[in-house]
Amino acid sequence: MKWYISAFWAGIYLLMTPAQAQSEWVSLFNLPPINADGLKINQFGSFDDAEAIILQEGGVQSFFVGPLGNYQGNLFRIVRIKILKESGLNQAEVEIPYYGEERIMSIQGASYRLQNDQVVVAELKNNQIFIEEANKDVHIIKFSIPQVQVGSIIEYSYSYQTPYIHSPQPWYFQHNIPTLSSEFVILPHEHLEFTYLYLGDMQERVREVGEYHWILNDIPPLKEEAFAPNIDDFRQRMIMQLYGYVGSIGYQSVAQDWDELSIDLWNADYLGKPLRKSYKDLDALAAKLCQGIPDPKARMVAIYDYVRQHILWNRRRGISTDQKLDDIFNARQGSSAEIHLLLIYLLNAAGLEAAPLLVSTRDHGAVIQALPIYQQFNQLLACVEVGEELYVLNATDPSRPFNYLEDTDLNYRGWFMRKKDPVWLIMPLPGLSYVQRFVQITLSPEGEIQATVQEKLKGYPAFEARKAIEAMGENTYLQKRTPSHSPTFTVSDAKIMLHESDEDRLTISYALQTQDYLSILNDNLFLSPWLHFEEKEHPFSAKERTYPVDFQYPQQHVLTISLALPEGYEFETLPQQVREVLPGDASRLQVLAQQVGNLAQIRYELLLLDPQIQPEAYPAFKALYDQWLSIQGSRLVLKKKAE
Amino acid sequence: MNLRRLLSLALLLFEASLGLTQSGYPAKDIPAILKKDADMVVRRTFYTLNVEDESLATLKVHEVRTILNSRGKEHRRLVVSYDDEFHKTGKIEGNLYDAEGKLLRQLKKKEIKDVSTTQSGVGDSRAKVAELTHTQYPYTVEYIYDLTLKGIFYFPSWVPQRGENMALEQGKLTVLYPDDQLRYKSLNGPGEPDITQGEGQYRYTWTLSQLPPVQWEPFSPSTVYPRVLLAPNAFEIAGYRGNAKDWQSFGKFIYELNQDRDQLPEALKQEVARLTADKTTPLEKIEALFRYMQENTRYVSVQLGIGGWQSFRPEYVYENGYGDCKALSNYMKAMLNEVGIPSYQALVYAGTNKPDIYADFPGNQFNHVILAVPQATDTLWLECTSSLNPVGYLGDFTENRHVLLLTPEGGKLVRTPSRRPVENRQIRQAEVFLEANGNARVLVSTLSTGYQQEALRQVAKVATQSEQEDWLKDRIDLGNFEINSFSFEEVDTLSVPAYRLNYELAVNKWASVSGPRLFMGLHQIEQSHFVPPDIDHRMQDVEVSYPYWDRDSVTFHLPANMRLEALPETPISLENPFATYEAHLQPMEDGTLIYTRDIKFYHKRLGPETYQGFREFFQKVTKADQLLVVLSGKS
């Protein structure tokens, strides 16, 4: 979905083609000539370890009226990159995707290298530039800068022309390699008005060197971290949004608040209109599904269950459709938007109040509430009002019950665009997800272990398990879940209980037997009660974090051991009791141990109530996690009772 | 009503009745034996390849698949690969049937997507993709499509059963060929074709039916699925004529396709002269030119049309500083030629752990090009797309397999070198300084050679320091540790490529603490818990294609106030036709403990009956690697 905006009397504006202005734009950036001295510089302080470094990057966003009389945006970009390592050579393979009627123009590129103290320039030729039609919507410009070696500087520039000017491409100051200088200029058009917004935590370092002219220096690269939210949320960038233009009937405001945007979306062919049409087959289906169900919530669940089990998600997210709802139904598959528009229609047909809820998933980034831009979202869900209760539904996974969303949907806020009184919703955090393991161990004096294991899963771990069972079948799943390939343990009686009435739970049980897991030395038995559950990896080995740790949902991990002592043995020592709580009760680690008669009970628990841990709180959290892992390595010592 | 109309009406009725009786493949008709362990059953797969002449053929495909459950749902998709020049798609039709065989709907034209399938670089491979989806299992999809081969270089293979959990009810391959000289190779079942003579054509037919699912088996030397390979004799593509009847002719075609594409630009001639001026032996010259190429070029793939098989000229590589495997090997060959050293490009089916080509079936089975430089006693092999390999080293990507040398006299099938365990070594020495609290400082020095040094070389030469550190962290199996320092070091004093990796770790809880005792594992730094799965009736041979030899020797320095409470029994010796293992622990007089571990795998292929023992060997190794010692406080 894209908008065009037609200018008033196209002829009266100067038709300035971007190519003509290109050299003028380059002059805005003060790019020094590339000479032998410049090429010899290989030291970049804290960025020395980078595979490549952006020495300078400049962008000019301008607007003009195209030959057809509609406004066009033009982003001229020039970038100069120093290649420092062999892995940085991939910077010379450039791919620029573009959509629909957009065009990439005036591509220029060259490499500079030193040979016998002379600068050798190799220019990109036109016949080295290729266009690939990736699919019907997307083309990709591909080119390889010639003659590039470690030590080379490469430079290329192009103009990205777009007729979709409501929200032009953001300017990214930050990349996956370090940037010494990134500079962005907007040339305002007298008949177009935009709002600008800087996003990222380096705003105070951005220098405004002229009107609509910004420079940011020494920008570190973005870095992936384990359990991080979408790092693109943290990327330094400038975004813009059109709010008014002069068109065929004079000045028109397109500035919208969220409510106005909702009205537009309800009138749009790609979103609201399909919901307002009438489809007899779908009406009949809704009636059939709700037959004999008076309770509105039960109706909602019946329709949700039908949709998740009968319409296959094609793995694409979306916020719009170009299909009719009955065609989506007949095709039995669709994007998330298509599935949920169909769901909303069926819910409405069954007399329920349902409307789209727009969210930006975690992997897509946070929504900036200050900017009422539809394209900030990437996911359309269904939201239902039943009396005072609100339910958000995501029907893309047949193994997930109605009261759980896909974990990536849980991105703080969603825009509930109900017809009357649209509103921001805080996305409901699900209840506690857990993996609780109950292990009963019987030891024989000869060192044989018999154990029964019960693993109770609730919430997301249960869905993951269901999905895996669906994907690989029960037997294969049980083989992977249990230590069936272990040379130490023999597994028997492995079973899965699916709790059909309670889909967010799942129980796995099995028996373990082994002769040679524990060590007997002299009069002592040594046993690691964690059996095969010990975690091998430490996801938080890094000393510090740049971005928060994000577990997505509250969760609990419990291992409860109950151990029957063999005849004639006693504990030398029971495990130490531990209780560590992080501030605000965000995370907790606890070990409890007690002995009653010849039975010992030990309970290990890690509870993560707040799924997000900020970088400031990370050291304490890491220490907690270190302890959690070291506890898992410790052993119980049993000794023979004195006769 | 005249007769003709009557006849056509009758025909119409006949067809209509056919249409009625021709079921939509009800799922209940599938025999139970095919459904066991199956997610999808290929009901019909009918391929008809009509070879009109040396440069034109059409392929008609009719395929019907019943999807039994959601695990089989990916098979609902049709993917028809084509490209801009040599493979053109024609009609594509599809039907969707429910479990009873009732037609639910037909595929609409607008549902067929057209996508690029070029993986990297610039290419023209594309595909038409369609999906007929239903969510009540079982259901059936039917696809009918045509493909025209404009220009022939090879024929598509017929693989009617392509994967696990997939059964075949009925398959038929028909080839209509101008004479009775069609070349084919039948693998795993299809057998000999039925051959009949028709109007100016011979008809070859293979049929297969009622094949239950076949499971993939680890350490198999080749595919277990039925397959018919086809290859042309005389052929023509893009105006070039060739013959694939034997390796000699096929090699000659490729050779001639690239003939006279090796002139060096004047500037490069001078460069070559300069680079080799002070070099006397051929090897020195080869090294100098190979290094020049490594330093001045990179791998970039641009393959369009005949460019998939024809090299760019040296001039292209010289001007751009890049090329693909054909262009770079041709470039190197031309430079060697300039200094009077003959060399030959060689076609290879590249890839780590890939099965060898079928040496008795000439034709295009290749995906890569390397360069062979004949020497007085041996052949020097060059991987021209690698900026890292030392001269003469191919690595596990192309070694130990058949390749086709392209010589002026035509193709010659030869083998690339293979390695013995002693060439692919990892010799690791470690010192562990254990403290009473279970923490330890650990110094490790590892020398890797041959295949085992390839990853190290890559990381050492290509990655940034922080990437190197991340790589090292991933490689170490300890829970909680920090890397104090690390370094990579190229070792060029051995007869095989070698790299040394040194690092120092601060390990939290190297030994676990329980009360007054420490429990310490002996083999901790890089563990393998891999045990191949249990297989009821192993069908395939067992092959180890990656020979290697690892030796660890660890010296433990124990805390002063601790004593050894218990030691495991060693040595442990394990033996198997494929491998040997030995672990040994020795307390020394100075209070240290020395642990050694030796494991060796041979390049070998043996019968399926060896699988169980092979698996048990892994189980025993895993167990032996878990040996513990117990330390306790001196009292």
Side-chain angles (χ1 to χ4, degrees), chain B residues 13-33:
Chain B
L13 282 173
F14 175 68
E15 280 174 5
S17 69
L18 257 186
L20 282 177
T21 51
Q22 188 189 35
S23 79
Y25 318 99
K28 66 172 165 35
D29 293 352
I30 304 171
I33 177 99

PDB file of all heavy atoms in Angstrom, chain B residues 13-33:
ATOM      1  N   LEU B  13     -18.585 -37.008 -24.774  1.00  0.00           N
ATOM      2  CA  LEU B  13     -19.200 -37.792 -23.705  1.00  0.00           C
ATOM      3  C   LEU B  13     -18.193 -38.756 -23.105  1.00  0.00           C
ATOM      4  O   LEU B  13     -18.118 -38.945 -21.899  1.00  0.00           O
ATOM      5  CB  LEU B  13     -20.409 -38.585 -24.250  1.00  0.00           C
ATOM      6  CG  LEU B  13     -21.663 -37.764 -24.450  1.00  0.00           C
ATOM      7  CD1 LEU B  13     -22.736 -38.594 -25.153  1.00  0.00           C
ATOM      8  CD2 LEU B  13     -22.183 -37.265 -23.100  1.00  0.00           C
ATOM      9  N   PHE B  14     -17.415 -39.322 -24.028  1.00  0.00           N
ATOM     10  CA  PHE B  14     -16.398 -40.266 -23.579  1.00  0.00           C
ATOM     11  C   PHE B  14     -15.413 -39.578 -22.628  1.00  0.00           C
ATOM     12  O   PHE B  14     -15.099 -40.064 -21.552  1.00  0.00           O
ATOM     13  CB  PHE B  14     -15.680 -40.838 -24.807  1.00  0.00           C
ATOM     14  CG  PHE B  14     -14.543 -41.735 -24.458  1.00  0.00           C
ATOM     15  CD1 PHE B  14     -14.780 -42.972 -23.860  1.00  0.00           C
ATOM     16  CD2 PHE B  14     -13.234 -41.368 -24.726  1.00  0.00           C
ATOM     17  CE1 PHE B  14     -13.738 -43.819 -23.551  1.00  0.00           C
ATOM     18  CE2 PHE B  14     -12.188 -42.199 -24.396  1.00  0.00           C
ATOM     19  CZ  PHE B  14     -12.433 -43.428 -23.810  1.00  0.00           C
ATOM     20  N   GLU B  15     -15.012 -38.407 -23.071  1.00  0.00           N
ATOM     21  CA  GLU B  15     -14.069 -37.650 -22.233  1.00  0.00           C
ATOM     22  C   GLU B  15     -14.693 -37.271 -20.900  1.00  0.00           C
ATOM     23  O   GLU B  15     -14.073 -37.327 -19.853  1.00  0.00           O
ATOM     24  CB  GLU B  15     -13.605 -36.387 -22.966  1.00  0.00           C
ATOM     25  CG  GLU B  15     -12.522 -36.698 -23.968  1.00  0.00           C
ATOM     26  CD  GLU B  15     -12.149 -35.504 -24.812  1.00  0.00           C
ATOM     27  OE1 GLU B  15     -12.664 -34.407 -24.555  1.00  0.00           O
ATOM     28  OE2 GLU B  15     -11.343 -35.687 -25.730  1.00  0.00           O
ATOM     29  N   ALA B  16     -16.016 -36.891 -21.015  1.00  0.00           N
ATOM     30  CA  ALA B  16     -16.698 -36.498 -19.788  1.00  0.00           C
ATOM     31  C   ALA B  16     -16.759 -37.681 -18.826  1.00  0.00           C
ATOM     32  O   ALA B  16     -16.513 -37.539 -17.629  1.00  0.00           O
ATOM     33  CB  ALA B  16     -18.092 -35.987 -20.103  1.00  0.00           C
ATOM     34  N   SER B  17     -17.044 -38.854 -19.394  1.00  0.00           N
ATOM     35  CA  SER B  17     -17.139 -40.002 -18.501  1.00  0.00           C
ATOM     36  C   SER B  17     -15.766 -40.350 -17.929  1.00  0.00           C
ATOM     37  O   SER B  17     -15.635 -40.748 -16.781  1.00  0.00           O
ATOM     38  CB  SER B  17     -17.728 -41.207 -19.246  1.00  0.00           C
ATOM     39  OG  SER B  17     -16.808 -41.672 -20.209  1.00  0.00           O
ATOM     40  N   LEU B  18     -14.748 -40.159 -18.762  1.00  0.00           N
ATOM     41  CA  LEU B  18     -13.385 -40.325 -18.266  1.00  0.00           C
ATOM     42  C   LEU B  18     -13.136 -39.400 -17.087  1.00  0.00           C
ATOM     43  O   LEU B  18     -12.589 -39.774 -16.059  1.00  0.00           O
ATOM     44  CB  LEU B  18     -12.377 -39.981 -19.368  1.00  0.00           C
ATOM     45  CG  LEU B  18     -11.698 -41.140 -20.080  1.00  0.00           C
ATOM     46  CD1 LEU B  18     -10.633 -40.589 -21.018  1.00  0.00           C
ATOM     47  CD2 LEU B  18     -11.087 -42.106 -19.090  1.00  0.00           C
ATOM     48  N   GLY B  19     -13.569 -38.149 -17.322  1.00  0.00           N
ATOM     49  CA  GLY B  19     -13.390 -37.135 -16.281  1.00  0.00           C
ATOM     50  C   GLY B  19     -14.046 -37.551 -14.979  1.00  0.00           C
ATOM     51  O   GLY B  19     -13.520 -37.312 -13.895  1.00  0.00           O
ATOM     52  N   LEU B  20     -15.166 -38.209 -15.117  1.00  0.00           N
ATOM     53  CA  LEU B  20     -15.885 -38.622 -13.910  1.00  0.00           C
ATOM     54  C   LEU B  20     -15.186 -39.785 -13.223  1.00  0.00           C
ATOM     55  O   LEU B  20     -15.013 -39.795 -12.015  1.00  0.00           O
ATOM     56  CB  LEU B  20     -17.323 -39.039 -14.266  1.00  0.00           C
ATOM     57  CG  LEU B  20     -18.300 -37.891 -14.501  1.00  0.00           C
ATOM     58  CD1 LEU B  20     -19.651 -38.432 -14.916  1.00  0.00           C
ATOM     59  CD2 LEU B  20     -18.423 -37.050 -13.237  1.00  0.00           C
ATOM     60  N   THR B  21     -14.765 -40.746 -14.073  1.00  0.00           N
ATOM     61  CA  THR B  21     -14.159 -41.917 -13.456  1.00  0.00           C
ATOM     62  C   THR B  21     -12.739 -41.602 -12.993  1.00  0.00           C
ATOM     63  O   THR B  21     -12.251 -42.176 -12.041  1.00  0.00           O
ATOM     64  CB  THR B  21     -14.108 -43.114 -14.426  1.00  0.00           C
ATOM     65  OG1 THR B  21     -13.517 -42.653 -15.634  1.00  0.00           O
ATOM     66  CG2 THR B  21     -15.479 -43.664 -14.683  1.00  0.00           C
ATOM     67  N   GLN B  22     -12.098 -40.678 -13.711  1.00  0.00           N
ATOM     68  CA  GLN B  22     -10.749 -40.296 -13.278  1.00  0.00           C
ATOM     69  C   GLN B  22     -10.894 -39.566 -11.956  1.00  0.00           C
ATOM     70  O   GLN B  22     -11.300 -38.414 -11.903  1.00  0.00           O
ATOM     71  CB  GLN B  22     -10.115 -39.376 -14.316  1.00  0.00           C
ATOM     72  CG  GLN B  22      -8.670 -39.111 -14.014  1.00  0.00           C
ATOM     73  CD  GLN B  22      -8.125 -38.039 -14.919  1.00  0.00           C
ATOM     74  OE1 GLN B  22      -8.811 -37.105 -15.288  1.00  0.00           O
ATOM     75  NE2 GLN B  22      -6.867 -38.182 -15.276  1.00  0.00           N
ATOM     76  N   SER B  23     -10.583 -40.283 -10.877  1.00  0.00           N
ATOM     77  CA  SER B  23     -10.892 -39.740  -9.567  1.00  0.00           C
ATOM     78  C   SER B  23      -9.927 -38.629  -9.226  1.00  0.00           C
ATOM     79  O   SER B  23      -8.909 -38.450  -9.875  1.00  0.00           O
ATOM     80  CB  SER B  23     -10.752 -40.851  -8.532  1.00  0.00           C
ATOM     81  OG  SER B  23      -9.378 -41.022  -8.263  1.00  0.00           O
ATOM     82  N   GLY B  24     -10.240 -37.916  -8.172  1.00  0.00           N
ATOM     83  CA  GLY B  24      -9.305 -36.927  -7.640  1.00  0.00           C
ATOM     84  C   GLY B  24      -8.409 -37.579  -6.620  1.00  0.00           C
ATOM     85  O   GLY B  24      -8.039 -36.957  -5.644  1.00  0.00           O
ATOM     86  N   TYR B  25      -8.072 -38.831  -6.827  1.00  0.00           N
ATOM     87  CA  TYR B  25      -7.094 -39.532  -5.995  1.00  0.00           C
ATOM     88  C   TYR B  25      -7.503 -39.596  -4.523  1.00  0.00           C
ATOM     89  O   TYR B  25      -6.834 -39.024  -3.658  1.00  0.00           O
ATOM     90  CB  TYR B  25      -5.721 -38.861  -6.123  1.00  0.00           C
ATOM     91  CG  TYR B  25      -5.391 -38.484  -7.536  1.00  0.00           C
ATOM     92  CD1 TYR B  25      -5.578 -37.176  -7.983  1.00  0.00           C
ATOM     93  CD2 TYR B  25      -4.924 -39.436  -8.434  1.00  0.00           C
ATOM     94  CE1 TYR B  25      -5.294 -36.837  -9.298  1.00  0.00           C
ATOM     95  CE2 TYR B  25      -4.646 -39.092  -9.753  1.00  0.00           C
ATOM     96  CZ  TYR B  25      -4.833 -37.787 -10.179  1.00  0.00           C
ATOM     97  OH  TYR B  25      -4.555 -37.449 -11.462  1.00  0.00           O
ATOM     98  N   PRO B  26      -8.616 -40.259  -4.215  1.00  0.00           N
ATOM     99  CA  PRO B  26      -9.032 -40.356  -2.811  1.00  0.00           C
ATOM    100  C   PRO B  26      -7.918 -40.934  -1.942  1.00  0.00           C
ATOM    101  O   PRO B  26      -7.212 -41.857  -2.367  1.00  0.00           O
ATOM    102  CB  PRO B  26     -10.238 -41.308  -2.841  1.00  0.00           C
ATOM    103  CG  PRO B  26     -10.549 -41.584  -4.253  1.00  0.00           C
ATOM    104  CD  PRO B  26      -9.511 -40.982  -5.130  1.00  0.00           C
ATOM    105  N   ALA B  27      -7.789 -40.396  -0.753  1.00  0.00           N
ATOM    106  CA  ALA B  27      -6.690 -40.813   0.127  1.00  0.00           C
ATOM    107  C   ALA B  27      -6.865 -42.251   0.589  1.00  0.00           C
ATOM    108  O   ALA B  27      -5.896 -42.929   0.901  1.00  0.00           O
ATOM    109  CB  ALA B  27      -6.601 -39.875   1.322  1.00  0.00           C
ATOM    110  N   LYS B  28      -8.101 -42.716   0.623  1.00  0.00           N
ATOM    111  CA  LYS B  28      -8.313 -44.079   1.118  1.00  0.00           C
ATOM    112  C   LYS B  28      -7.730 -45.133   0.178  1.00  0.00           C
ATOM    113  O   LYS B  28      -7.537 -46.277   0.571  1.00  0.00           O
ATOM    114  CB  LYS B  28      -9.804 -44.329   1.365  1.00  0.00           C
ATOM    115  CG  LYS B  28     -10.670 -44.319   0.107  1.00  0.00           C
ATOM    116  CD  LYS B  28     -12.091 -44.767   0.468  1.00  0.00           C
ATOM    117  CE  LYS B  28     -13.133 -44.467  -0.592  1.00  0.00           C
ATOM    118  NZ  LYS B  28     -12.774 -44.546  -1.999  1.00  0.00           N
ATOM    119  N   ASP B  29      -7.453 -44.744  -1.053  1.00  0.00           N
ATOM    120  CA  ASP B  29      -6.862 -45.698  -1.996  1.00  0.00           C
ATOM    121  C   ASP B  29      -5.381 -45.973  -1.721  1.00  0.00           C
ATOM    122  O   ASP B  29      -4.783 -46.838  -2.348  1.00  0.00           O
ATOM    123  CB  ASP B  29      -6.978 -45.171  -3.439  1.00  0.00           C
ATOM    124  CG  ASP B  29      -8.424 -45.112  -3.886  1.00  0.00           C
ATOM    125  OD1 ASP B  29      -9.287 -45.612  -3.130  1.00  0.00           O
ATOM    126  OD2 ASP B  29      -8.695 -44.562  -4.975  1.00  0.00           O
ATOM    127  N   ILE B  30      -4.787 -45.208  -0.827  1.00  0.00           N
ATOM    128  CA  ILE B  30      -3.351 -45.413  -0.567  1.00  0.00           C
ATOM    129  C   ILE B  30      -3.170 -46.658   0.297  1.00  0.00           C
ATOM    130  O   ILE B  30      -3.767 -46.749   1.369  1.00  0.00           O
ATOM    131  CB  ILE B  30      -2.742 -44.197   0.168  1.00  0.00           C
ATOM    132  CG1 ILE B  30      -2.982 -42.922  -0.628  1.00  0.00           C
ATOM    133  CG2 ILE B  30      -1.246 -44.411   0.411  1.00  0.00           C
ATOM    134  CD1 ILE B  30      -2.599 -41.660   0.124  1.00  0.00           C
ATOM    135  N   PRO B  31      -2.338 -47.592  -0.127  1.00  0.00           N
ATOM    136  CA  PRO B  31      -2.116 -48.785   0.691  1.00  0.00           C
ATOM    137  C   PRO B  31      -1.487 -48.423   2.044  1.00  0.00           C
ATOM    138  O   PRO B  31      -0.666 -47.505   2.126  1.00  0.00           O
ATOM    139  CB  PRO B  31      -1.127 -49.612  -0.140  1.00  0.00           C
ATOM    140  CG  PRO B  31      -1.149 -49.027  -1.506  1.00  0.00           C
ATOM    141  CD  PRO B  31      -1.589 -47.610  -1.383  1.00  0.00           C
ATOM    142  N   ALA B  32      -1.876 -49.154   3.066  1.00  0.00           N
ATOM    143  CA  ALA B  32      -1.415 -48.836   4.429  1.00  0.00           C
ATOM    144  C   ALA B  32       0.113 -48.851   4.527  1.00  0.00           C
ATOM    145  O   ALA B  32       0.710 -48.037   5.233  1.00  0.00           O
ATOM    146  CB  ALA B  32      -2.015 -49.825   5.416  1.00  0.00           C
ATOM    147  N   ILE B  33       0.753 -49.744   3.810  1.00  0.00           N
ATOM    148  CA  ILE B  33       2.204 -49.885   3.895  1.00  0.00           C
ATOM    149  C   ILE B  33       2.915 -48.589   3.473  1.00  0.00           C
ATOM    150  O   ILE B  33       3.994 -48.258   3.954  1.00  0.00           O
ATOM    151  CB  ILE B  33       2.690 -51.084   3.032  1.00  0.00           C
ATOM    152  CG1 ILE B  33       4.211 -51.229   3.026  1.00  0.00           C
ATOM    153  CG2 ILE B  33       2.253 -50.986   1.581  1.00  0.00           C
ATOM    154  CD1 ILE B  33       4.667 -52.260   3.976  1.00  0.00           C
TER     155      ILE B  33
END
